[in-house]
Amino acid sequence: MARRSPLYRWLLANHQKFAAVIDKADGLFRWQDIAAGFAAEGLTDTNGNPPSAATAKATWERVTKAIESRKLRKKKQIGHPRPPAAGIVQPVPSSFQTSAPPRRTSYEFKLASLKKHPAEEKP
């Protein structure tokens, strides 16, 4: 994974709050002013320099895209499960189960002792 700047990490951690500020401003802001605010807080780009307006905007867009990708991946994971393939046995509903004895859940294991090879035995 690529090294992330302090600015990127801050925007990632504060995405919701910063998005609310951006939405509330309704386009009436300048990235130059935002970049100056980030610099005043000590946030830097990957080279340790104060972020420019272009860097601040591009970093915000990358963070937003990364968060959207995460949400999409989670949605796909949680989404609709695939139906079982043909021929796979499905669990039997509890109403159909018989009164079979319970399964054995613990097992005792013992190490076997090996016999010596005839060549190793002393005459």
Side-chain angles (χ1 to χ4, degrees):
M1 184 164 103
R3 193 176 117 222
R4 300 295 184 192
S5 69
L7 175 61
Y8 183 97
R9 291 191 308 265
W10 187 89
L11 286 170
L12 189 63
N14 297 285
H15 185 266
Q16 286 184 330
K17 291 177 187 175
F18 190 71
V21 170
I22 295 292
D23 289 343
K24 189 174 182 179
D26 196 30
L28 302 175
F29 62 89
R30 295 179 344 156
W31 280 104
Q32 185 176 2
D33 297 335
I34 292 173
F38 288 150
E41 292 296 318
L43 297 172
T44 61
D45 63 13
T46 52
N47 297 322
N49 299 320
S52 66
T55 300
K57 182 178 180 184
T59 304
W60 171 246
E61 290 169 351
R62 278 194 306 277
V63 166
T64 301
K65 185 177 179 181
I67 288 176
E68 288 172 2
S69 294
R70 285 181 186 176
K71 287 179 182 177
L72 186 60
R73 276 195 309 270
K74 283 184 181 180
K75 189 175 182 179
K76 284 182 180 179
Q77 290 172 351
I78 296 172
H80 306 290
R82 292 183 185 167
I88 294 185
V89 177
Q90 294 294 312
V92 177
S94 60
S95 60
F96 293 110
Q97 290 185 0
T98 62
S99 58
R103 278 186 154 176
R104 185 172 172 184
T105 56
S106 63
Y107 297 92
E108 185 178 325
F109 294 97
K110 294 182 181 178
L111 295 175
S113 54
L114 300 175
K115 294 182 180 179
K116 292 185 177 182
H117 189 273
E120 293 177 352
E121 291 183 17
K122 294 180 181 177

